[in-house]
Amino acid sequence: MYDVIVVGARCAGSPTAMLLARKGHRVLVLDRAEFPSDTMSTHFMHQSGLARLRSWGLLDRLAATGCPPITEAVWWYGDLPIRGSAPAYDGVAEAYAPRRIVLDAMLVDAAREAGAEIREGFTVRELIIEDGTVVGVRGRSHGGQEEELRARAVVGADGHRSLVARTMNAEVYKERPSITVAYYTYWTGLKRGYEVYLGNEQQVAVMPTHGDACLIVCALPNAEFGRYRADVEGTYHQIIEDTCPELGKEMREHGQQMEKFTGTKDLPNFYRRPYGTGWALAGDAGFHKDPVTGQGIADAFRDADVLSTALHRVLTGTGEWDQEMANYEETRNQATAALYEFTCLAATLQFSDRMRQAFTVLSYDQAEANAFLGLVAGTTSVIEFFSDEHMGGLVERSKDVGDRERTLTRQAAATG
Ligand SMILES: Cc1cc2nc3c(=O)[nH]c(=O)nc-3n(C[C@H](O)[C@H](O)[C@H](O)COP(=O)(O)OP(=O)(O)OC[C@H]3O[C@@H](n4cnc5c(N)ncnc54)[C@H](O)[C@@H]3O)c2cc1C
């Protein structure tokens, strides 16, 4: 009998298991994948997620994998560059875009080192439910016999199509259909940093990663999936040509494509009630959203932290299940509500008139540019940034050529 069985060993599952094992609990992690294992995901990690890795003692280990730190971003809106650095989060100033085959294996190793038992290549087929309470799982290793495994709690960290959530009919709320479709691949031979190109209902992002390579992802509205279905390669390059032709030229002249294209149109947006009697959800299983703002990994890490603390309290008799799990859900929802709305808005790949005007100011005011970049890094309040007062101020300033001149003069003075 385990204290906790965790289904899924990636960004939500392994840290949940690691943190519980570090607190002395008997934890089993089951994943049908065998690590190192890649998964369909781009992998920009903002400062908020990295601060959690640091608190777990794993940030230095990530840096040691050879992934380049990202200290500056350039977002282009047409020919307006919004260049800067998001404010640091809890002292973490840099971002990273580590390949998932590296990151996920590192997380699995850390869970194992903490004392969690990890069974790779094990598929959970069903939950064991007694008197309405989840008490374990049934499943099998590749080619093995079916096994019954029991625990005091089962955590579904099993992704957005979660077997645990579907079996327990977890309530879904704030649901929105898929908004974008995105395809990506990796390139070498390019001299590029972290760049985002905001086009007209299309978007390109470049992320430097392991092996002197960069990932380039191209997104379209979900309704235009037919373009990708007809011709993935042609559509990918056409988006780059339309949105950032200079990048396209460099790719043609110097770039080597490293892998085939990967992509999906299955990017639904929803929350699930993340618990019931004997079971809880973490990561994408409980909260899934469009990847356009790159929040999934950091959200999974936060869930691991908060859920493992709640489970520890229940397992040690210092907390009561319903109360601890309600707090867990509340914490998650409060932490993510504004960014969820921003993500769903950003995923439309469209911009309001006032946002277009604001981009003008962001292109020359360093503090405002940094604040904008902090929206996705978790260091700028979405509510304050998009308040009528702040956005109204940016719009007014965008009409004032003198403001632009004064700001440029101040910048010139500051840089000597
Ligand atoms: C195209 C795309 C781009 C993205 N880009 C970013 C980005 O730039 N930055 C970012 O932060 N996030 C990004 N995300 C989101 C990110 O990938 C997810 O939020 C993150 O992977 C969630 O981790 P997880 O552990 O909750 O789930 P998952 O990564 O889905 O892991 C679930 C695990 O559960 C296992 N599993 C499932 N069912 C079973 C079963 N029955 N038995 C055994 N094992 C099972 C699976 O094998 C898998 O290993 C992107 C996602 C997509 C699709």
Side-chain angles (χ1 to χ4, degrees), residues 52 89 271 287 295 299 302-303 306 328-340 378 382:
R52 240 173 255 278
Y89 186 103
Y271 286 79
F287 173 41
Q295 299 301 309
D299 282 344
R302 187 205 51 255
D303 280 0
V306 180
Y328 165 55
E329 179 177 20
E330 176 72 12
T331 304
R332 178 196 69 178
N333 292 1
Q334 278 192 6
T336 56
L339 254 172
Y340 180 60
V382 172

Side-chain angles (χ1 to χ4, degrees), residues 8 10-12 31-32 41-44 100 124 284 291 294 296-297:
R10 294 189 188 269
C11 300
D31 201 304
R32 64 162 78 96
S41 175
T42 70
H43 33 75
F44 197 87
R100 289 290 298 267
V124 173
D284 278 8
I297 298 170

Side-chain angles (χ1 to χ4, degrees), residues 333-356:
N333 292 1
Q334 278 192 6
T336 56
L339 254 172
Y340 180 60
E341 293 305 324
F342 176 57
T343 296
C344 291
L345 186 66
T348 64
L349 311 179
Q350 296 173 342
F351 302 97
S352 64
D353 285 344
R354 75 174 190 169
M355 193 66 229
R356 274 194 276 268

Side-chain angles (χ1 to χ4, degrees), residues 16-35:
T16 303
M18 174 189 76
L19 295 168
L20 284 165
R22 284 181 180 176
K23 291 183 165 96
H25 300 292
R26 189 162 179 240
V27 188
L28 172 66
V29 186
L30 303 168
D31 201 304
R32 64 162 78 96
E34 293 180 20
F35 295 88

Side-chain angles (χ1 to χ4, degrees), residues 35-362:
F35 295 88
S37 154
D38 212 344
T39 189
M40 186 196 295
S41 175
T42 70
H43 33 75
F44 197 87
M45 289 185 70
H46 297 288
Q47 288 83 339
S48 50
L50 293 161
R52 240 173 255 278
L53 266 193
R54 189 190 56 186
S55 75
W56 301 338
L58 297 177
L59 184 54
D60 288 347
R61 197 186 289 196
L62 177 69
T65 63
C67 190
I70 296 167
T71 53
E72 192 188 58
V74 194
W75 288 47
W76 290 88
Y77 178 67
D79 58 358
L80 290 176
I82 301 156
R83 184 185 297 275
S85 309
Y89 186 103
D90 205 10
V92 175
E94 69 278 20
Y96 285 91
R99 291 207 51 156
R100 289 290 298 267
I101 195 167
V102 177
L103 175 70
D104 294 8
M106 185 189 92
L107 297 172
V108 169
D109 287 348
R112 193 172 269 133
E113 285 162 23
E117 183 183 341
I118 314 238
R119 291 183 63 180
E120 303 175 35
F122 187 102
T123 300
V124 173
R125 293 179 184 275
E126 59 184 7
L127 303 181
I128 306 171
I129 305 168
E130 291 174 356
D131 298 327
T133 301
V134 175
V135 295
V137 301
R138 286 191 194 89
R140 59 172 58 130
S141 296
H142 296 326
Q145 296 287 315
E146 179 159 285
E147 295 178 57
E148 271 198 15
L149 300 159
R150 288 176 176 258
R152 293 169 67 188
V154 172
V155 172
D158 48 348
H160 81 276
R161 294 194 199 90
S162 169
L163 173 89
V164 177
R166 282 184 289 114
T167 305
M168 300 317 293
N169 225 353
E171 182 195 341
V172 176
Y173 50 92
K174 290 194 178 181
E175 190 177 10
R176 320 253 168 90
S178 299
I179 307 172
T180 66
V181 51
Y183 276 80
Y184 65 90
T185 187
Y186 296 88
W187 296 82
T188 52
L190 307 178
K191 299 253 170 294
R192 294 280 162 171
Y194 170 42
E195 300 164 17
V196 177
Y197 297 87
L198 307 170
N200 183 18
E201 296 202 22
Q202 42 192 3
Q203 188 166 311
V204 177
V206 184
M207 310 170 192
T209 188
H210 292 102
D212 260 340
C214 54
L215 176 153
I216 301 182
V217 55
C218 298
L220 281 176
N222 197 270
E224 291 191 42
F225 172 62
R227 281 180 61 191
Y228 264 131
R229 189 175 44 204
D231 178 6
V232 171
E233 184 172 14
T235 301
Y236 178 90
H237 286 291
Q238 189 60 52
I239 296 169
I240 292 170
E241 212 46 50
D242 292 348
T243 314
C244 39
E246 282 301 312
L247 172 63
K249 183 165 178 286
E250 188 178 336
M251 288 165 74
R252 277 192 304 279
E253 289 175 359
H254 305 290
Q256 289 99 44
Q257 185 177 339
M258 296 169 68
E259 296 177 14
K260 64 184 175 52
F261 292 98
T262 305
T264 181
K265 70 178 179 73
D266 181 26
L267 297 168
N269 303 279
F270 60 78
Y271 286 79
R272 287 191 178 117
R273 170 133 299 141
Y275 68 97
T277 316
W279 60 275
L281 304 174
D284 278 8
F287 173 41
H288 191 262
K289 60 268 152 197
D290 195 282
V292 69
T293 53
Q295 299 301 309
I297 298 170
D299 282 344
F301 287 179
R302 187 205 51 255
D303 280 0
D305 241 346
V306 180
L307 178 59
S308 62
T309 302
L311 287 171
H312 173 67
R313 287 173 57 79
V314 172
L315 292 166
T316 53
T318 52
E320 185 261 327
W321 176 270
D322 283 341
Q323 186 59 53
E324 292 297 331
M325 292 299 136
N327 290 346
Y328 165 55
E329 179 177 20
E330 176 72 12
T331 304
R332 178 196 69 178
N333 292 1
Q334 278 192 6
T336 56
L339 254 172
Y340 180 60
E341 293 305 324
F342 176 57
T343 296
C344 291
L345 186 66
T348 64
L349 311 179
Q350 296 173 342
F351 302 97
S352 64
D353 285 344
R354 75 174 190 169
M355 193 66 229
R356 274 194 276 268
Q357 286 169 284
F359 281 137
T360 313
V361 181
L362 303 184

